[in-house]
Each structure stands twice: as structure tokens, then as C-alpha cells.
Amino acid sequence: MDSTDIDFMRVALERAAAAQASGEVPVGAVLVREAAVIATGANCPISCNDPTAHAEIAALRAGGRALGSYRLTDTTLYVTLEPCLMCASAIVHARVRRLVFGAWDPRAGAAGSIVDVFALPQLNHRVDVFGGVLMEECASLLRQFFSERRGGGGGGSCHEG
């Protein structure tokens, strides 16, 4: 972990806070290439009525538009929570070079918690994965959200850019 990872994870935490302000589970993502932010995403499945509208997917979609390609080679994706199975698979298919995440997700994490998609030998792309960056800040945001909003829903707009 270096200061660049911390800086970009702080940007992801800002996107997570935006998701929380809209009544969404506070997860944020930032896609970076050559030390420049290409795209960001925040969880918005509730407000978008879209079960695939996770922060990672929003950032990957916006990144594809920004780069004019579905291949996001030479990029790093920063996300505040360990990706789920859907997001981990999308990260592999997008050819993201590196994944950096904050909090581990023991219930749905697919970077080692319940399964490690990134270690499957049959896949034709390898992602360099590093977890635990600003782990306590990321986990604290989630704990606070769930303790305050058990079972609640919210409104807002899709958060990608």
C-alpha cells in the first residue's frame, strides 16, 4: 500500500458517502489510469431499480465510455468494499490490471472471503488484488449505515461519472 492507493481510496470513500446520502448502501469506486481518475461509481441499485448497479459496475461502465472501449487495460479499480461475485467477474472481463479494496465482505466477497474469483486458473486474465486499504474507515461507514438504516430504502439518481 502506498500513498497513491490511500489517496484514491479516499476518493472512493467520497463516492460511498454520496451513495449513503441517497439512501444506498455506502460503496464507492474509482477507476484510474496513469494516476488520473477515468471514472467513478457509487452504489445505486435502489434508486436505479437495477440489481446490477453496484459501484464497481457503474465505474466500469463510465470508464468504458470515457476510454471508448470495453477493455479497461492498464487501469486500477479502487472500491471501498470487497467485490461480490458479479463485480469480480466484470472486473476480470474488463481486463482491469489491478484491484484495490477497503473492507472485506465475509457475506458476499469474491476476492477471498467466500470465493476468490481472481485465483481461478481457468480464467484468461489475471488481476493484481490488494485488500484492506483504509479498511477501518470503509468498514465503519458500512457499520454506521446498517446500524442506522436497517431495512430502509432510499431514492436518488444513478451515481456514475
Side-chain angles (χ1 to χ4, degrees):
M1 176 171 59
D2 62 27
S3 62
T4 302
D5 287 345
I6 291 169
D7 293 342
F8 286 123
M9 188 60 73
R10 289 201 190 287
V11 176
L13 278 163
E14 290 171 10
R15 299 303 298 139
Q20 182 175 18
S22 295
E24 301 281 356
V25 176
V27 179
V30 177
L31 186 67
V32 174
R33 182 187 269 174
E34 297 177 4
V37 173
I38 301 301
T40 64
N43 253 14
C44 64
I46 298 167
S47 59
C48 293
N49 298 310
D50 180 354
T52 69
H54 291 192
E56 302 94 320
I57 301 298
L60 294 174
R61 287 175 177 160
R65 287 190 303 271
L67 296 174
S69 177
Y70 70 103
R71 296 284 191 225
L72 305 175
T73 56
D74 298 321
T75 60
T76 298
L77 183 66
Y78 294 87
V79 62
T80 57
L81 181 64
E82 178 185 5
C84 70
L85 184 59
M86 172 186 70
C87 292
S89 297
I91 290 164
V92 170
H93 286 291
R95 305 297 194 267
V96 170
R97 182 180 55 80
R98 188 168 176 253
L99 167 68
V100 178
F101 67 89
W104 294 88
D105 186 350
R107 294 183 182 183
S113 287
I114 63 167
V115 67
D116 190 350
V117 167
F118 304 103
L120 295 173
Q122 298 86 352
L123 296 178
N124 64 349
H125 177 71
R126 296 284 167 253
V127 178
D128 181 21
V129 179
F130 189 79
V133 175
L134 297 182
M135 178 173 55
E136 188 49 44
E137 289 179 49
C138 294
S140 177
L141 191 61
L142 288 158
R143 278 193 304 271
Q144 175 190 0
F145 175 82
F146 285 114
S147 70
E148 293 174 359
R149 314 241 350 204
R150 295 264 179 223
S157 62
C158 290
H159 304 289
E160 60 181 69

